[in-house]
């Protein structure tokens, strides 16, 4: 995609239609950049509410000394309430942010197209509707593009510039350059269900919901593992509670349906039960967690203190967990190194990094480990490590493994023998999704990584994460999950398999 087009100059008025959460935020972004903004909403009170919300937000910044009163007044002064939709006529770019309803958006765009100049760009902020299908209601679909801001629009940098089937490359490039001139981080993508972020992020929720279905651990424990070992800013359960289960469930269902019921995106009965019960998360006062005044947040399950091992024998290469040897050394354990297949031998337990199989399956092999441990983003800084014991192993093996990680200063979460544990399977599935999005030409490798870093604050871009783990390891995890579950949900992307074979990296 060419980005040769220039941004729209600030002399070009911008129209924003829909003055709710997103529209008012987008209006402020454009006004801040110096454009005159025509802000329309079918409901005049919504325009006033939107402007009042912007004013009180800017008042807070003025009070904190982060902007002057004159700057606030100048920004707000550039936003003109526009009660009549036809009055958006002078705009060179119209961004629609109304209710998520295809028919209502279609009628609105037909009216807008009749009002504006022939070269004006028409854009939608839709999260889930097809940009291609919306464009098709226009007589000039080539001037239609998705500009998908994230909430809150004035703060979150990412904007997905979504090209429909007939969107002119120059139109997408102008939208891209304009968003960049507004201080945003735009990325290009094709109009496909979930675009980049809402598609690649599905496994972050989906794998935790799956583990909850199987009773592998509690919501608080799974959250703690993904935060404290995975390096994610929030755990999936607290994040779903914040987003709202109705919204999160609807996004998953939409992506699932629009991708022709691909089992990779299958919604979860655990989440449906929450929605059906009205436990929508923070907004309803309760979801996975209780948000009532005085309610205490449940603590993650921590293994009791295990015996401190006198020595640890590290056999072979531990791969992404190689740092454990130096950490054990620094913790004062006697560390012995030998050739081998990537095991940590302790008195009472043999440990290995999960490869997507259950501990029970691995221990069934001659010399197999009795306890598996989970992936960490960085074993040095991780505060927690999850472990799972094979069904054949004695309970003392859990204590021995816990004692080892506790000696390294980690909290330990003991899971039921879940294949791929938590961080490994979640990261592998996110990586696989990102690789498959690249394979299916949804967006470029760089833009996919940028999107997950800037749109949802992932600690590492998924394709960079794949490079550091090795595509072969990720593919092995997915294949193992596929064999264990016997489900098409866990199938490696053809592009991941190719990189696994050649050892090529994505960056
Ligand atoms: P919202 O409910 O806060 O605001 C929608 C506004 O549209 C309301 O003020 C309503 O009066 C107005 N409206 C409805 N029909 C209209 C019409 N025919 N003409 C003019 N105005 C009309 O909704 P929102 O959360 O701001 O979402 C708006 C759009 O942005 C949706 O397409 C949504 O999918 C998308 N989006 C939302 C988020 C989010 O987190 N809220 C994030 C990204 C994208």
């Amino acid at each position: 995609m060419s980005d040769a087009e220039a941004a729209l100059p600030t002399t070009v008025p911008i129209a924003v239609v829909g003055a709710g959460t997103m529209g008012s935020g987008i209006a402020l972004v454009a006004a801040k950049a110096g454009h005159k903004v025509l802000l329309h909403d079918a409901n005049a009170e919504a325009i006033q509410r939107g402007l009042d919300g912007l004013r009180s937000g800017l008042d807070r910044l003025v009070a904190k000394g982060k902007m002057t009163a004159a700057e606030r007044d100048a920004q707000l002064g550039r936003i003109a309430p526009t009660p009549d939709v036809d009055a958006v006529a002078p705009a060179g770019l119209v961004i629609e942010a109304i209710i998520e309803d295809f028919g209502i958006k279609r009628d609105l765009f037909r009216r807008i197209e009749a009002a504006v100049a022939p070269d004006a760009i028409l854009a939608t902020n839709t999260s889930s509707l097809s940009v291609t299908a919306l464009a098709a209601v226009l007589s000039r679909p080539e001037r239609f593009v998705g500009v998908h801001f994230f909430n809150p629009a004035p703060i979150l940098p990412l904007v997905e510039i979504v090209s429909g089937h007939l969107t002119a490359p120059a139109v997408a490039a102008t939208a891209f350059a304009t968003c960049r001139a507004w201080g945003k981080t735009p990325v290009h993508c094709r109009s496909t269900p979930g675009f980049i972020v809402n598609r690649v992020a599905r496994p972050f929720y989906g794998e935790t919901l799956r583990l909850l279905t199987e009773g592998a651990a509690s919501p608080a424990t799974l959250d703690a593992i993904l935060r404290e070992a995975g390096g994610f800013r929030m755990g999936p359960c607290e994040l779903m509670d914040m987003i709202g289960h109705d919204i999160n469930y609807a996004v998953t269902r939409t992506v699932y349906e629009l991708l022709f019921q691909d089992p990779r995106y299958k919604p979860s009965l655990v989440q449906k039960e929450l929605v059906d019960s009205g436990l929508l998360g923070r907004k309803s006062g309760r979801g996975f967690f209780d948000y009532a005044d005085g309610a205490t947040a449940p603590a993650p399950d921590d293994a009791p203190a295990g015996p401190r091992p006198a020595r640890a024998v590290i056999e072979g290469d531990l791969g992404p967990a190689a740092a454990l040897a130096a950490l054990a050394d620094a913790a004062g354990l006697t560390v012995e190194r030998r050739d081998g297949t990537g095991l940590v031998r302790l008195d009472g337990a043999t440990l290995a990094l999960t490869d997507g199989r259950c501990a029970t399956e691995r221990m069934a092999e001659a010399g197999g480990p009795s306890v598996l441990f989970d992936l960490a983003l960085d074993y040095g800084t991780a505060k927690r490590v999850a472990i799972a014991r094979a069904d054949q192993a004695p309970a003392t093996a859990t204590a021995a493994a816990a004692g080892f990680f506790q000696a390294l200063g980690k909290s330990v979460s003991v899971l039921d023998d879940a294949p791929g544990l938590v961080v490994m399977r979640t990261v592998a599935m996110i990586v696989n999704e990102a690789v498959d999005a690249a394979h299916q030409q949804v967006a470029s490798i760089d833009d996919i990584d940028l999107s997950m870093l800037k749109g949802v604050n992932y600690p590492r871009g998924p394709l960079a994460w794949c490079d550091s783990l090795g595509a072969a390891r990720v593919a092995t995890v997915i294949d193992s999950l596929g064999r264990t579950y016997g489900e098409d949900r866990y199938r490696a992307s053809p592009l991941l398999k190719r990189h696994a074979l050649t050892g090529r990296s994505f960056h």
Side-chain angles (χ1 to χ4, degrees), residues 17-23 40-43 46 97-100 104-105 108 125-127 148-149 151:
V17 179
T21 311
M22 295 308 292
H40 169 73
D41 196 289
N43 175 353
I98 68 163
I99 185 172
E100 190 76 331
I104 298 177
K105 287 194 200 273
L108 176 73
N125 187 50
T126 183
S127 296
H148 186 223
F149 286 78
N151 185 16

Side-chain angles (χ1 to χ4, degrees), residues 6 25 50 71 107 138 209 213 220 253 268 382 493:
E71 284 166 338
D107 295 347
L138 301 179
L209 289 166
T213 310
R253 284 195 61 154
S268 162
S493 165

Side-chain angles (χ1 to χ4, degrees), residues 208 211-212 215-230 234-238 288-289 297-303 374 384-387 411-416 421-423:
T208 279
L211 288 162
L212 288 169
S218 70
T221 304
L222 293 168
D223 274 3
I225 295 167
L226 281 155
R227 272 196 323 264
E228 297 172 18
M234 290 177 85
C237 298
E238 55 185 340
F288 283 119
F289 306 115
D301 297 322
D302 280 343
D374 202 0
R384 177 176 299 273
V385 174
I387 61 173
S411 299
V412 175
S413 294
V414 181
L415 260 69
D416 189 36
L421 285 144
V422 182
V423 180

Side-chain angles (χ1 to χ4, degrees), residues 22-57:
M22 295 308 292
S24 57
I26 295 167
L28 182 64
V29 170
K32 236 182 198 166
H35 291 268
K36 175 171 186 194
V37 179
L38 306 162
L39 181 59
H40 169 73
D41 196 289
N43 175 353
E45 282 169 24
I47 306 185
Q48 198 48 51
R49 249 197 324 274
L51 289 172
D52 291 346
L54 293 180
R55 175 169 286 279
S56 58

